[in-house]
């Protein structure tokens, strides 16, 4: 359940003292929406050096009008 996951994350820490914070979003979002074609073409994906298949950062390029 959502409550179980929230409780587990609230008590999780690491050996170095990292504390996890979380927020549950209860909004309902429309399914089946597609992003604009130009958004995908302007999106740069920067992959992490340690685990690139799991860790990446999408960086949209700002368009000047």
């Amino acid at each position: 359940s959502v409550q179980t996951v929230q409780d587990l994350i609230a008590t999780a820490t690491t050996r170095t003292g990292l504390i996890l914070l979380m927020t549950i979003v209860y909004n309902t979002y429309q399914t089946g929406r597609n992003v604009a074609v130009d958004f995908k073409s302007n999106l740069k994906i920067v992959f992490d050096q340690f685990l690139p298949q799991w860790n990446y950062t999408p960086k949209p390029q700002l368009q000047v009008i």
Side-chain angles (χ1 to χ4, degrees), residues 10-29:
T11 59
T13 59
T14 66
R15 283 182 254 151
T16 58
L18 178 69
I19 299 171
L20 303 173
L21 302 174
M22 65 169 284
T23 301
I24 297 175
V25 178
Y26 290 101
N27 296 346
T28 303
Y29 294 93

Side-chain angles (χ1 to χ4, degrees), residues 36-64:
V37 174
D38 62 335
F39 178 78
K40 284 184 179 181
S41 65
N42 291 319
L43 187 65
K44 180 180 179 185
I45 305 292
V46 178
F47 293 95
D48 185 71
Q49 292 180 355
F50 184 66
L51 286 172
Q53 69 273 28
W54 292 349
N55 298 322
Y56 57 88
T57 303
K59 297 194 174 203
Q61 312 246 334
L62 298 177
Q63 292 182 347
V64 178

